[in-house]
Amino acid sequence: MGFWQISADTLANGRFVVSPLAEAIATLKALERGTAAHPGERAWLDAHLPAYRARLAADPITALLVRAALGATWNADFLTPTPTGEESPFEEELASIRETPPGQARENLTVSLGGPLPPALHRSDLPERLAGHVEWVWRESVLPYWPRRRRVLEADVVARTARLSRGGWAAALDGLRPGMRWLGDGRLRINAYDYPPRDLSGARLMFVPVTPRQAWSSWDDSGRSALVYPCSGTLADTPARPPEALGRLLGPARAGVLVLLDSPKSTTQLVALTGQGLGSVGRHLKVLLEARLVGRRRSGRSVLYYRTETGDVLVRAQETG
């Protein structure tokens, strides 16, 4: 079992960070996997997977490089650099991949492959080639959706921070990513692999959400360590359009809010999911509350909205009619 030994000071100074590069790498991994984790991702894959596969088919060296960098149990370190802790533009983050010395890149790939490099990868342009591929993924498959994805990531950070304030780090970290669990005595289980424990005393610890269902860890010589984790499924999924008849009755935007409240959500989460402004979501909730289609309750410092029984009946009538 792989776990990190974390001092109280390191944990107290831990923070959540949004990284455009991590989002691009998680997207690359999702494209390589080619299977959808939820219906929203299925639609996204249908739109972008053909162009991705055509690009790799036309460039077999890059295709081989990507497969080598995404090893079975370990990513090549230079593909997944540790964030600095401050949100930086994508281009600045990408430079850390592009500027990797070629010899170091080949060493990293040997580790991720678990064996010697294929002869075709004994070349000096591997960092530039891989950076170019990640840049293409960002431009073609992430950037068009980045405003919404960023709102989703920020909503996840808000939700995790609220959980932290209510139950401490154990509550915030349990279930953060598959196999992860707070063990007590300063031990955080990272995954189920039999890796040697790492002592993070004095390290700068970061938690980095991404919208694809991908997760990995990274660290560097400066003392920074990061855990990349998939954000909440209800946030990551792309919401379906509300039924047409319900949209005519309530208005499409308001109907969309009602449909999303099949499970309790905060205003921040609704803003992230709908792409509407905070004021618009607030007005829709006010009308739905007055019509007794939704209710609200406080959970710690958060106010959560949920569909009432009447609201459930109204939505289900559209689904079954």
Side-chain angles (χ1 to χ4, degrees), residues 174-216:
D174 274 352
L176 192 71
R177 46 184 264 176
M180 185 168 169
R181 184 164 165 260
W182 181 253
L183 301 176
D185 297 325
R187 294 180 305 155
L188 178 63
R189 185 176 75 183
I190 303 303
N191 52 45
Y193 294 118
D194 189 21
Y195 293 146
R198 289 185 57 84
D199 187 351
L200 265 64
S201 300
R204 187 177 184 186
L205 182 58
M206 290 165 285
F207 303 95
V208 185
V210 292
T211 59
R213 303 283 175 86
Q214 304 294 330
W216 66 89

Side-chain angles (χ1 to χ4, degrees), residues 51-282:
Y52 179 82
R53 288 177 171 168
R55 173 181 168 81
L56 289 184
D59 186 354
I61 297 296
T62 297
L64 182 61
L65 172 59
V66 171
R67 289 196 296 270
L70 299 176
T73 60
W74 196 264
N75 300 318
D77 287 350
F78 80 106
L79 172 61
T80 56
T82 304
T84 63
E86 304 295 333
E87 187 174 347
S88 303
F90 171 78
E91 293 75 14
E92 290 184 16
E93 288 193 293
L94 185 66
S96 60
I97 298 178
R98 181 168 278 125
E99 296 169 2
T100 303
Q104 178 183 330
R106 290 191 294 270
E107 290 177 5
N108 291 170
L109 290 166
T110 300
V111 174
S112 60
L113 270 175
L117 287 183
L121 295 183
H122 286 276
R123 48 194 302 147
S124 61
D125 66 345
L126 300 181
E128 176 62 38
R129 186 177 286 270
L130 191 56
H133 187 62
V134 173
E135 185 175 29
W136 183 90
V137 169
W138 165 261
R139 184 178 65 251
E140 300 295 328
S141 304
V142 181
L143 191 57
Y145 312 96
W146 181 237
R148 180 189 178 273
R149 287 195 183 193
R150 182 184 176 116
R151 289 193 298 269
V152 167
L153 298 174
E154 290 171 344
D156 185 88
V157 169
V158 169
R160 298 286 179 184
T161 304
R163 190 178 299 177
L164 173 63
S165 68
R166 294 194 301 268
W169 279 106
L173 298 183
D174 274 352
L176 192 71
R177 46 184 264 176
M180 185 168 169
R181 184 164 165 260
W182 181 253
L183 301 176
D185 297 325
R187 294 180 305 155
L188 178 63
R189 185 176 75 183
I190 303 303
N191 52 45
Y193 294 118
D194 189 21
Y195 293 146
R198 289 185 57 84
D199 187 351
L200 265 64
S201 300
R204 187 177 184 186
L205 182 58
M206 290 165 285
F207 303 95
V208 185
V210 292
T211 59
R213 303 283 175 86
Q214 304 294 330
W216 66 89
S217 58
S218 66
W219 53 85
D220 60 27
D221 294 338
S222 71
R224 293 191 298 256
S225 296
L227 289 169
V228 177
Y229 69 91
C231 67
S232 169
T234 57
L235 287 174
D237 201 350
T238 300
R241 289 177 176 270
E244 184 178 349
L246 188 64
R248 290 198 301 269
L249 177 67
L250 300 177
R254 189 169 298 149
V257 170
L258 183 63
V259 169
L260 285 169
L261 290 176
D262 57 334
S263 62
K265 293 179 177 67
S266 68
T267 306
T268 302
Q269 291 172 322
L270 289 169
V271 168
L273 287 167
T274 63
Q276 301 175 41
L278 181 61
S280 296
V281 169

